[in-house]
Amino acid sequence: DPISTACVHPGVCVCVCVFVRLCQRKKINKLIKLRTCAEKLLSVTRLLRKPDCLISLQSSTAPQATMSSKGKYTYYYFNVRGRGEFIRWILAASGLPWEDKRFEMQEWQTLKPTIPGNAVPYLVTPEGYQLRQSEAIARYVAKKGGLVPTDDLAAYKCDAIVDTVMIDMFDAVVKFMPLKSPEERAKGFQNWNELAGPKFYGIIDQWVKESRSGYLVGDRMTWADLTVACIVNSLGLIDEIKASQDAYPDVKAFAEGIAQSGKVQDYLKTRPAGMFQF
């Protein structure tokens, strides 16, 4: 039936309905005219249904596919910790097969044009999908590895913890990152020791004290635990701000406990030293 076939497209369906209404108003009852119109609309429908005429949600939202990474997740980031190390911890704890593609700063200009978006962290899945944005990558891997709670509220709590650490807290951390000038780093260390460190370690300390299981959310390890422990672990290596962490022994103990968990510990034993402490 040309009419029912034409109506598979919402816009065509509306056109047919309008035509029928006009025919009724003008008291035109000859079916041949309606059939002829429907057949014309059907030809338009066929045109609209062609792949190059439709807006594909999949093509506009799915990561661009590339060649497979031989059954592994392939992770690209500088040979530093920074904003990318917590993803390595999550990959390690997940048990998923993965490859750690590190590169030095001097290699970046050559590598940069080959990375979609010209930015890292960057992950290629076993299916060949290219993923960007650090928190989004971390959440994706955590879900694949069973490190995100299935309960919506618990999952929200994990998100809130990760955002606090990787967004709010990191705004203070970047002020003393190694590539800053000595003057900027000195100001950043001062800000951390006097303001940011006590603030954020205090928040984490409260999370730890409220836990009954030893984990920040629920009764098993999640990506929130790994993210917090990773950042605390890395900050504890920086001489200029060690004292600020020493004032929170429960936070240090929590981070050390997560770092000593089997799969994470295995990764840390083989982790390259990196160009910088952080």
Side-chain angles (χ1 to χ4, degrees), residues 5-232:
T5 306
C7 289
V8 297
H9 191 283
V12 174
C13 180
V14 171
C15 292
V16 171
C17 292
V18 170
F19 180 82
V20 171
R21 178 63 63 188
L22 289 173
C23 288
Q24 290 175 340
R25 287 181 180 179
K26 294 181 179 182
K27 298 181 180 180
I28 300 174
N29 297 317
K30 294 183 178 179
L31 182 60
I32 186 64
K33 290 186 178 182
L34 180 58
R35 184 179 183 87
T36 300
C37 179
E39 289 173 347
K40 289 181 179 180
L41 291 171
L42 178 59
S43 65
V44 175
T45 301
R46 288 170 177 160
L47 176 62
L48 289 172
R49 292 175 67 185
K50 288 183 178 179
D52 57 351
C53 294
L54 293 177
I55 298 175
S56 171
L57 289 177
Q58 182 177 2
S59 64
S60 63
T61 59
Q64 180 183 353
T66 185
M67 58 190 302
S68 172
S69 50
K70 299 180 180 179
K72 294 182 178 180
Y73 290 84
T74 308
Y75 181 60
Y76 295 82
Y77 193 63
F78 295 103
N79 186 24
V80 297
R81 297 188 177 103
R83 287 189 183 275
E85 180 68 7
F86 80 117
I87 298 175
R88 294 186 179 118
W89 281 48
I90 293 170
L91 280 163
S94 72
L96 299 169
W98 69 292
E99 187 174 3
D100 191 5
K101 290 284 189 178
R102 296 170 178 254
F103 51 90
E104 307 300 329
M105 290 291 182
Q106 60 268 27
E107 299 176 87
W108 176 235
Q109 290 307 313
T110 301
L111 184 62
K112 185 176 180 179
T114 69
I115 301 291
N118 306 131
V120 288
Y122 163 63
L123 182 79
V124 180
T125 72
E127 300 82 12
Y129 290 118
Q130 303 169 356
L131 310 184
R132 293 174 289 279
Q133 297 295 341
S134 56
E135 285 79 17
I137 291 173
R139 186 179 295 105
Y140 180 89
V141 172
K143 286 183 178 179
K144 289 290 186 180
L147 296 168
V148 175
T150 55
D151 176 75
D152 289 341
L153 183 58
Y156 154 77
K157 290 179 180 178
C158 287
D159 288 347
I161 289 171
V162 172
D163 286 350
T164 299
V165 173
M166 293 307 300
I167 298 176
D168 300 339
M169 182 173 170
F170 226 91
D171 282 346
V173 172
V174 295
K175 294 178 180 179
F176 54 78
M177 293 291 275
L179 295 180
K180 297 285 187 179
S181 69
E183 295 78 12
E184 289 176 313
R185 295 197 76 195
K187 291 180 181 178
F189 288 138
Q190 182 179 2
N191 175 70
W192 181 266
N193 288 322
E194 295 178 1
L195 299 173
K199 173 184 176 180
F200 289 108
Y201 283 140
I203 292 172
I204 298 170
D205 189 55
Q206 187 64 34
W207 292 339
V208 172
K209 284 181 167 57
E210 290 174 351
S211 170
R212 297 180 180 179
S213 63
Y215 300 112
L216 299 182
V217 180
D219 57 1
R220 63 187 183 89
M221 186 185 297
T222 68
W223 71 305
D225 299 303
L226 292 158
T227 300
V228 171
C230 173
I231 298 303
V232 171

